[in-house]
Amino acid sequence: MSATERELHEQHRTMTTDLAAQHGRVKAFDPDNAEFDGQYTALVERAEELLAFEQQLPARLAEPQRLRSASIVRWAWRAQTALAAALIIATLALGRTGWWLVLLIPHLLATLMGWSITVTAQRHRQQRALALALQGQGVLVILVVLGMLSPWWVIAVVLGWLGIGALSEDGPAGQGVKK
């Protein structure tokens, strides 16, 4: 258990203990007693604080993982942008046919658009997996462009782009990634 998790669980335990103690104080007073209203109000306030804390708890517990995923996603898309630029330069420098630019320029533009992906707490694991799949896609692009695989593998590259793009986009397939 991380320090953050421990602190959050300790804070929850403290709030629960305080609520139970406040409940005990309310039960000690007769409802007709003048102090009963003040104690009861304090009980309700503590209960509302605990409920608000419990609603935020899942997101707060997931935050360290989300931050790690955000870093992975950010650098994966940036690495693919650098790869696409390097492949464009290599293709031109090696005198390869200009037709490879039809494959590489859209790859470059798509990876530039990926820089704006917001990693959400609900989908950070899926977004991290997509970023890692993008790296595999990049290896496939390298192998095809440099001639290590048959040009027929362009079909796999395009299908990979469609899959990664569909799952990274807003809508039913991507389920709400904010860009």
Side-chain angles (χ1 to χ4, degrees):
M1 183 181 295
S2 70
T4 303
E5 268 187 84
R6 220 174 323 183
E7 290 169 6
L8 288 171
H9 286 295
E10 183 60 37
Q11 187 177 357
H12 183 263
R13 187 176 19 261
T14 300
M15 291 176 83
T16 305
T17 303
D18 288 348
L19 181 64
Q22 185 64 38
H23 181 258
R25 284 191 290 276
V26 168
K27 288 189 97 177
F29 287 106
D30 185 67
D32 295 330
N33 190 324
E35 284 205 33
F36 177 81
D37 290 337
Q39 294 294 329
Y40 185 78
T41 302
L43 174 68
V44 170
E45 288 172 359
R46 284 203 171 98
E48 287 173 349
E49 289 172 6
L50 180 62
L51 288 173
F53 180 82
E54 287 178 343
Q55 287 176 346
Q56 297 171 355
L57 192 58
R60 290 176 71 183
L61 286 171
E63 186 62 12
Q65 287 291 325
R66 189 200 67 78
L67 290 173
R68 189 173 304 117
S69 293
S71 178
I72 290 169
V73 168
R74 178 177 43 256
W75 286 106
W77 285 94
R78 289 178 181 174
Q80 284 303 306
T81 300
L83 171 80
L87 281 173
I88 289 171
I89 293 168
T91 299
L92 295 174
L94 294 174
R96 299 263 182 191
T97 178
W99 282 105
W100 288 117
L101 296 177
V102 172
L103 180 71
L104 294 173
I105 291 174
H107 185 71
L108 176 69
L109 296 175
T111 58
L112 283 172
M113 289 188 325
W115 283 31
S116 64
I117 290 176
T118 301
V119 178
T120 63
Q122 295 80 19
R123 295 192 56 232
H124 72 91
R125 286 188 177 92
Q126 180 183 6
Q127 291 165 327
R128 180 174 35 190
L130 284 171
L132 296 175
L134 179 67
Q135 300 309 304
Q137 177 75 7
V139 170
L140 185 59
V141 169
I142 291 170
L143 295 175
V144 171
V145 170
L146 295 181
M148 295 177 189
L149 289 178
S150 165
W152 285 103
W153 280 89
V154 169
I155 296 169
V157 169
V158 171
L159 291 176
W161 280 344
L162 291 174
I164 290 171
L167 293 172
S168 295
E169 288 289 325
D170 288 335
Q175 311 224 345
V177 174
K178 297 177 185 173
K179 287 193 175 187

